Short mmCIF file of all heavy atoms in Angstrom, two decimals:
data_model
loop_
_atom_site.label_atom_id
_atom_site.label_comp_id
_atom_site.label_asym_id
_atom_site.label_seq_id
_atom_site.Cartn_x
_atom_site.Cartn_y
_atom_site.Cartn_z
N PRO A 274 0.82 -1.21 0.00
CA PRO A 274 0.00 0.00 0.00
C PRO A 274 0.85 1.26 0.00
O PRO A 274 1.80 1.39 0.77
CB PRO A 274 -0.81 -0.12 1.29
CG PRO A 274 -0.92 -1.59 1.51
CD PRO A 274 0.40 -2.14 1.07
N GLY A 275 0.52 2.20 -0.89
CA GLY A 275 1.24 3.46 -0.97
C GLY A 275 2.57 3.41 -1.68
O GLY A 275 3.26 4.42 -1.74
N LYS A 276 2.95 2.25 -2.23
CA LYS A 276 4.23 2.10 -2.90
C LYS A 276 4.04 1.68 -4.35
O LYS A 276 2.96 1.25 -4.76
CB LYS A 276 5.11 1.09 -2.16
CG LYS A 276 5.50 1.51 -0.76
CD LYS A 276 6.50 0.55 -0.16
CE LYS A 276 6.96 1.01 1.21
NZ LYS A 276 7.96 0.08 1.79
N GLU A 277 5.10 1.80 -5.14
CA GLU A 277 5.08 1.37 -6.52
C GLU A 277 5.08 -0.15 -6.62
O GLU A 277 5.44 -0.85 -5.68
CB GLU A 277 6.29 1.92 -7.28
CG GLU A 277 6.29 3.42 -7.47
CD GLU A 277 7.43 3.86 -8.36
OE1 GLU A 277 8.45 3.16 -8.42
OE2 GLU A 277 7.28 4.92 -9.01
N ARG A 278 4.66 -0.63 -7.80
CA ARG A 278 4.74 -2.05 -8.09
C ARG A 278 6.17 -2.38 -8.50
O ARG A 278 6.64 -1.94 -9.55
CB ARG A 278 3.75 -2.42 -9.19
CG ARG A 278 3.63 -3.92 -9.43
CD ARG A 278 2.48 -4.24 -10.38
NE ARG A 278 1.19 -3.84 -9.83
CZ ARG A 278 0.02 -4.13 -10.39
NH1 ARG A 278 -0.02 -4.82 -11.52
NH2 ARG A 278 -1.10 -3.71 -9.82
N ASP A 279 6.87 -3.15 -7.68
CA ASP A 279 8.30 -3.39 -7.84
C ASP A 279 8.58 -4.80 -8.35
O ASP A 279 7.89 -5.76 -8.01
CB ASP A 279 9.04 -3.19 -6.53
CG ASP A 279 9.08 -1.74 -6.09
OD1 ASP A 279 9.08 -0.85 -6.96
OD2 ASP A 279 9.14 -1.50 -4.87
N PHE A 280 9.65 -4.90 -9.12
CA PHE A 280 10.11 -6.17 -9.65
C PHE A 280 10.58 -7.10 -8.54
O PHE A 280 11.26 -6.67 -7.60
CB PHE A 280 11.26 -5.92 -10.63
CG PHE A 280 11.96 -7.15 -11.11
CD1 PHE A 280 11.39 -7.94 -12.10
CD2 PHE A 280 13.18 -7.53 -10.59
CE1 PHE A 280 12.04 -9.07 -12.57
CE2 PHE A 280 13.84 -8.65 -11.04
CZ PHE A 280 13.26 -9.43 -12.03
N VAL A 281 10.22 -8.37 -8.64
CA VAL A 281 10.67 -9.38 -7.70
C VAL A 281 11.55 -10.42 -8.39
O VAL A 281 12.68 -10.68 -7.96
CB VAL A 281 9.48 -10.10 -7.03
CG1 VAL A 281 9.96 -11.21 -6.11
CG2 VAL A 281 8.63 -9.09 -6.26
N ALA A 282 11.06 -11.03 -9.46
CA ALA A 282 11.79 -12.07 -10.17
C ALA A 282 11.25 -12.19 -11.58
O ALA A 282 10.08 -11.92 -11.83
CB ALA A 282 11.66 -13.41 -9.45
N GLY A 283 12.11 -12.61 -12.51
CA GLY A 283 11.69 -12.82 -13.89
C GLY A 283 12.41 -14.01 -14.49
O GLY A 283 13.49 -14.40 -14.02
N ILE A 284 11.81 -14.59 -15.52
CA ILE A 284 12.39 -15.74 -16.20
C ILE A 284 12.09 -15.66 -17.68
O ILE A 284 10.96 -15.39 -18.09
CB ILE A 284 11.88 -17.06 -15.58
CG1 ILE A 284 12.58 -18.27 -16.21
CG2 ILE A 284 10.37 -17.18 -15.69
CD1 ILE A 284 12.37 -19.56 -15.43
N ARG A 285 13.11 -15.86 -18.52
CA ARG A 285 12.93 -15.86 -19.96
C ARG A 285 12.51 -17.24 -20.45
O ARG A 285 12.53 -18.22 -19.69
CB ARG A 285 14.22 -15.42 -20.66
CG ARG A 285 14.61 -13.98 -20.39
CD ARG A 285 15.56 -13.46 -21.45
NE ARG A 285 15.97 -12.09 -21.17
CZ ARG A 285 15.24 -11.01 -21.45
NH1 ARG A 285 14.06 -11.12 -22.02
NH2 ARG A 285 15.72 -9.81 -21.16
N SER A 286 12.14 -17.30 -21.74
CA SER A 286 11.67 -18.56 -22.29
C SER A 286 12.72 -19.66 -22.17
O SER A 286 12.37 -20.82 -21.96
CB SER A 286 11.28 -18.38 -23.76
OG SER A 286 12.40 -18.02 -24.55
N GLY A 287 14.00 -19.29 -22.29
CA GLY A 287 15.07 -20.26 -22.21
C GLY A 287 15.52 -20.60 -20.80
O GLY A 287 16.43 -21.41 -20.63
N GLY A 288 14.92 -19.96 -19.78
CA GLY A 288 15.22 -20.29 -18.41
C GLY A 288 16.12 -19.32 -17.67
O GLY A 288 16.34 -19.50 -16.46
N MET A 289 16.68 -18.32 -18.35
CA MET A 289 17.51 -17.32 -17.67
C MET A 289 16.65 -16.55 -16.68
O MET A 289 15.53 -16.14 -17.00
CB MET A 289 18.14 -16.37 -18.67
CG MET A 289 19.16 -15.40 -18.07
SD MET A 289 18.40 -13.89 -17.40
CE MET A 289 17.98 -13.02 -18.91
N THR A 290 17.17 -16.33 -15.47
CA THR A 290 16.42 -15.68 -14.41
C THR A 290 17.11 -14.42 -13.91
O THR A 290 18.32 -14.23 -14.09
CB THR A 290 16.21 -16.62 -13.21
OG1 THR A 290 17.48 -17.04 -12.70
CG2 THR A 290 15.41 -17.84 -13.63
N ASP A 291 16.33 -13.55 -13.27
CA ASP A 291 16.84 -12.36 -12.62
C ASP A 291 15.99 -12.11 -11.39
O ASP A 291 14.80 -12.42 -11.38
CB ASP A 291 16.79 -11.16 -13.56
CG ASP A 291 17.63 -9.99 -13.08
OD1 ASP A 291 18.50 -10.18 -12.21
OD2 ASP A 291 17.42 -8.87 -13.59
N TYR A 292 16.62 -11.56 -10.34
CA TYR A 292 15.94 -11.33 -9.08
C TYR A 292 16.25 -9.95 -8.53
O TYR A 292 17.35 -9.42 -8.73
CB TYR A 292 16.40 -12.36 -8.03
CG TYR A 292 16.05 -13.78 -8.36
CD1 TYR A 292 16.93 -14.58 -9.08
CD2 TYR A 292 14.84 -14.33 -7.95
CE1 TYR A 292 16.62 -15.89 -9.38
CE2 TYR A 292 14.52 -15.64 -8.25
CZ TYR A 292 15.41 -16.41 -8.97
OH TYR A 292 15.08 -17.72 -9.27
N ALA A 293 15.30 -9.39 -7.82
CA ALA A 293 15.57 -8.20 -7.03
C ALA A 293 16.57 -8.55 -5.94
O ALA A 293 16.55 -9.65 -5.38
CB ALA A 293 14.29 -7.66 -6.41
N GLU A 294 17.46 -7.61 -5.62
CA GLU A 294 18.50 -7.87 -4.64
C GLU A 294 17.91 -8.28 -3.29
O GLU A 294 18.48 -9.13 -2.59
CB GLU A 294 19.38 -6.63 -4.47
CG GLU A 294 20.64 -6.87 -3.65
CD GLU A 294 21.60 -7.81 -4.33
OE1 GLU A 294 21.62 -7.86 -5.58
OE2 GLU A 294 22.34 -8.52 -3.62
N SER A 295 16.77 -7.73 -2.93
CA SER A 295 16.17 -7.99 -1.63
C SER A 295 15.68 -9.43 -1.46
O SER A 295 15.44 -9.86 -0.33
CB SER A 295 15.01 -7.03 -1.38
OG SER A 295 14.00 -7.17 -2.37
N VAL A 296 15.52 -10.17 -2.56
CA VAL A 296 15.01 -11.53 -2.46
C VAL A 296 16.00 -12.58 -2.91
O VAL A 296 15.71 -13.79 -2.81
CB VAL A 296 13.68 -11.71 -3.25
CG1 VAL A 296 12.67 -10.65 -2.82
CG2 VAL A 296 13.92 -11.66 -4.75
N LYS A 297 17.18 -12.19 -3.40
CA LYS A 297 18.17 -13.16 -3.84
C LYS A 297 18.56 -14.08 -2.70
O LYS A 297 18.80 -13.65 -1.58
CB LYS A 297 19.41 -12.45 -4.37
CG LYS A 297 19.24 -11.84 -5.75
CD LYS A 297 20.53 -11.21 -6.25
CE LYS A 297 20.34 -10.65 -7.65
NZ LYS A 297 21.58 -10.00 -8.15
N GLY A 298 18.62 -15.37 -3.00
CA GLY A 298 18.95 -16.37 -1.99
C GLY A 298 17.76 -16.87 -1.21
O GLY A 298 17.89 -17.87 -0.50
N ARG A 299 16.62 -16.19 -1.32
CA ARG A 299 15.42 -16.60 -0.60
C ARG A 299 14.30 -17.04 -1.54
O ARG A 299 13.55 -17.97 -1.21
CB ARG A 299 14.89 -15.47 0.28
CG ARG A 299 15.87 -15.03 1.36
CD ARG A 299 15.21 -14.06 2.34
NE ARG A 299 14.78 -12.83 1.68
CZ ARG A 299 13.53 -12.37 1.68
NH1 ARG A 299 12.56 -13.05 2.30
NH2 ARG A 299 13.24 -11.23 1.07
N PHE A 300 14.15 -16.38 -2.69
CA PHE A 300 13.07 -16.68 -3.63
C PHE A 300 13.64 -17.37 -4.87
O PHE A 300 14.76 -17.09 -5.29
CB PHE A 300 12.37 -15.40 -4.09
CG PHE A 300 11.56 -14.69 -3.04
CD1 PHE A 300 11.61 -15.05 -1.70
CD2 PHE A 300 10.74 -13.63 -3.41
CE1 PHE A 300 10.86 -14.39 -0.75
CE2 PHE A 300 9.99 -12.96 -2.47
CZ PHE A 300 10.05 -13.33 -1.14
N THR A 301 12.84 -18.24 -5.48
CA THR A 301 13.22 -18.92 -6.71
C THR A 301 12.04 -18.91 -7.67
O THR A 301 10.95 -19.35 -7.31
CB THR A 301 13.65 -20.37 -6.45
OG1 THR A 301 14.73 -20.41 -5.52
CG2 THR A 301 14.09 -21.04 -7.75
N ILE A 302 12.28 -18.42 -8.89
CA ILE A 302 11.25 -18.45 -9.93
C ILE A 302 11.52 -19.64 -10.84
O ILE A 302 12.67 -19.97 -11.13
CB ILE A 302 11.22 -17.13 -10.73
CG1 ILE A 302 10.03 -17.10 -11.69
CG2 ILE A 302 12.53 -16.90 -11.47
CD1 ILE A 302 9.81 -15.75 -12.36
N SER A 303 10.47 -20.29 -11.29
CA SER A 303 10.59 -21.41 -12.21
C SER A 303 9.37 -21.45 -13.11
O SER A 303 8.37 -20.78 -12.86
CB SER A 303 10.75 -22.74 -11.45
OG SER A 303 9.62 -22.99 -10.64
N ARG A 304 9.46 -22.24 -14.19
CA ARG A 304 8.33 -22.37 -15.10
C ARG A 304 8.20 -23.81 -15.56
O ARG A 304 9.18 -24.56 -15.60
CB ARG A 304 8.49 -21.43 -16.30
CG ARG A 304 9.65 -21.76 -17.23
CD ARG A 304 9.92 -20.61 -18.20
NE ARG A 304 8.79 -20.36 -19.09
CZ ARG A 304 8.58 -19.21 -19.72
NH1 ARG A 304 9.41 -18.19 -19.54
NH2 ARG A 304 7.52 -19.07 -20.52
N ASP A 305 6.98 -24.18 -15.89
CA ASP A 305 6.68 -25.49 -16.43
C ASP A 305 5.89 -25.24 -17.71
O ASP A 305 4.69 -24.98 -17.66
CB ASP A 305 5.88 -26.32 -15.44
CG ASP A 305 5.67 -27.75 -15.90
OD1 ASP A 305 5.75 -28.02 -17.12
OD2 ASP A 305 5.43 -28.62 -15.04
N ASN A 306 6.57 -25.31 -18.85
CA ASN A 306 5.92 -24.98 -20.11
C ASN A 306 4.82 -25.98 -20.48
O ASN A 306 3.85 -25.62 -21.14
CB ASN A 306 6.95 -24.91 -21.23
CG ASN A 306 7.84 -23.69 -21.12
OD1 ASN A 306 7.51 -22.71 -20.44
ND2 ASN A 306 8.98 -23.74 -21.80
N ALA A 307 4.96 -27.23 -20.05
CA ALA A 307 3.94 -28.23 -20.33
C ALA A 307 2.63 -27.90 -19.63
O ALA A 307 1.56 -28.29 -20.09
CB ALA A 307 4.42 -29.61 -19.93
N LYS A 308 2.71 -27.18 -18.51
CA LYS A 308 1.53 -26.81 -17.74
C LYS A 308 1.14 -25.35 -17.92
O LYS A 308 0.17 -24.90 -17.30
CB LYS A 308 1.75 -27.09 -16.26
CG LYS A 308 1.95 -28.56 -15.93
CD LYS A 308 2.15 -28.76 -14.44
CE LYS A 308 2.31 -30.23 -14.11
NZ LYS A 308 2.52 -30.44 -12.66
N ASN A 309 1.87 -24.60 -18.74
CA ASN A 309 1.63 -23.15 -18.92
C ASN A 309 1.59 -22.45 -17.56
O ASN A 309 0.67 -21.68 -17.25
CB ASN A 309 0.34 -22.90 -19.68
CG ASN A 309 0.47 -23.14 -21.17
OD1 ASN A 309 1.52 -23.58 -21.66
ND2 ASN A 309 -0.59 -22.86 -21.91
N ALA A 310 2.59 -22.72 -16.74
CA ALA A 310 2.60 -22.19 -15.38
C ALA A 310 3.97 -21.65 -15.00
O ALA A 310 5.00 -22.13 -15.47
CB ALA A 310 2.19 -23.28 -14.39
N VAL A 311 3.95 -20.64 -14.13
CA VAL A 311 5.16 -20.10 -13.54
C VAL A 311 4.96 -20.07 -12.04
O VAL A 311 3.83 -19.88 -11.56
CB VAL A 311 5.49 -18.70 -14.11
CG1 VAL A 311 4.39 -17.70 -13.79
CG2 VAL A 311 6.84 -18.21 -13.60
N TYR A 312 6.05 -20.26 -11.30
CA TYR A 312 5.98 -20.38 -9.86
C TYR A 312 6.97 -19.44 -9.19
O TYR A 312 7.98 -19.06 -9.77
CB TYR A 312 6.29 -21.82 -9.42
CG TYR A 312 5.47 -22.85 -10.13
CD1 TYR A 312 6.00 -23.53 -11.23
CD2 TYR A 312 4.18 -23.14 -9.73
CE1 TYR A 312 5.25 -24.48 -11.90
CE2 TYR A 312 3.42 -24.09 -10.40
CZ TYR A 312 3.96 -24.75 -11.48
OH TYR A 312 3.21 -25.69 -12.14
N LEU A 313 6.68 -19.09 -7.95
CA LEU A 313 7.61 -18.33 -7.12
C LEU A 313 7.68 -19.00 -5.76
O LEU A 313 6.73 -18.91 -4.97
CB LEU A 313 7.18 -16.87 -6.98
CG LEU A 313 8.17 -15.97 -6.23
CD1 LEU A 313 9.45 -15.78 -7.05
CD2 LEU A 313 7.54 -14.62 -5.91
N GLN A 314 8.79 -19.69 -5.51
CA GLN A 314 9.02 -20.29 -4.20
C GLN A 314 9.64 -19.24 -3.30
O GLN A 314 10.71 -18.69 -3.61
CB GLN A 314 9.95 -21.50 -4.32
CG GLN A 314 10.29 -22.16 -3.00
CD GLN A 314 9.10 -22.82 -2.36
OE1 GLN A 314 8.33 -23.49 -3.03
NE2 GLN A 314 8.94 -22.63 -1.06
N MET A 315 9.00 -18.95 -2.18
CA MET A 315 9.44 -17.91 -1.26
C MET A 315 9.79 -18.55 0.07
O MET A 315 8.91 -19.09 0.74
CB MET A 315 8.36 -16.84 -1.08
CG MET A 315 7.89 -16.22 -2.39
SD MET A 315 6.72 -14.85 -2.14
CE MET A 315 5.35 -15.75 -1.41
N ASN A 316 11.05 -18.49 0.44
CA ASN A 316 11.53 -19.04 1.70
C ASN A 316 12.01 -17.92 2.62
O ASN A 316 12.29 -16.81 2.17
CB ASN A 316 12.67 -20.02 1.46
CG ASN A 316 12.27 -21.22 0.64
OD1 ASN A 316 11.13 -21.67 0.70
ND2 ASN A 316 13.22 -21.76 -0.13
N SER A 317 12.11 -18.23 3.90
CA SER A 317 12.61 -17.27 4.89
C SER A 317 11.90 -15.93 4.78
O SER A 317 12.53 -14.87 4.75
CB SER A 317 14.12 -17.10 4.75
OG SER A 317 14.80 -18.32 4.91
N LEU A 318 10.59 -15.97 4.73
CA LEU A 318 9.81 -14.75 4.53
C LEU A 318 9.99 -13.77 5.68
O LEU A 318 10.13 -14.16 6.84
CB LEU A 318 8.34 -15.10 4.35
CG LEU A 318 7.99 -15.64 2.97
CD1 LEU A 318 6.66 -16.36 2.98
CD2 LEU A 318 7.97 -14.51 1.94
N LYS A 319 9.98 -12.49 5.33
CA LYS A 319 10.15 -11.40 6.26
C LYS A 319 8.92 -10.49 6.22
O LYS A 319 8.23 -10.44 5.21
CB LYS A 319 11.39 -10.57 5.90
CG LYS A 319 12.68 -11.36 5.81
CD LYS A 319 13.82 -10.48 5.31
CE LYS A 319 15.10 -11.25 5.21
NZ LYS A 319 16.22 -10.40 4.70
N PRO A 320 8.65 -9.74 7.29
CA PRO A 320 7.51 -8.81 7.25
C PRO A 320 7.57 -7.85 6.08
O PRO A 320 6.51 -7.49 5.54
CB PRO A 320 7.62 -8.09 8.60
CG PRO A 320 8.24 -9.09 9.51
CD PRO A 320 9.24 -9.81 8.64
N GLU A 321 8.75 -7.43 5.67
CA GLU A 321 8.87 -6.51 4.55
C GLU A 321 8.52 -7.13 3.20
O GLU A 321 8.45 -6.42 2.19
CB GLU A 321 10.28 -5.88 4.49
CG GLU A 321 11.40 -6.89 4.53
CD GLU A 321 11.99 -7.06 5.92
OE1 GLU A 321 11.20 -7.16 6.89
OE2 GLU A 321 13.23 -7.08 6.05
#
């Protein structure tokens, strides 16, 4: 609330990924093309 929509993680068609510095080492993005789905695994969650 009250903030901009900020980048968290992205993945290209070939699997290359990028992450916001604040989530590196904690979040993992992945995709399953057979299921037309993308996922975000979030570990060690913080209030922020």
Side-chain angles (χ1 to χ4, degrees):
K276 296 187 177 181
E277 292 187 334
R278 188 171 297 187
D279 291 330
F280 173 78
V281 177
I284 184 167
R285 294 201 182 279
S286 64
M289 187 274 286
T290 59
D291 195 17
Y292 297 90
E294 190 66 29
S295 60
V296 307
K297 285 183 178 179
R299 298 189 297 123
F300 291 9
T301 303
I302 187 171
S303 61
R304 66 193 297 158
D305 186 338
N306 289 341
K308 296 181 179 179
N309 283 4
V311 62
Y312 308 98
L313 185 68
Q314 178 67 44
M315 305 185 295
N316 298 328
S317 301
L318 283 162
K319 304 174 180 179
E321 52 262 45

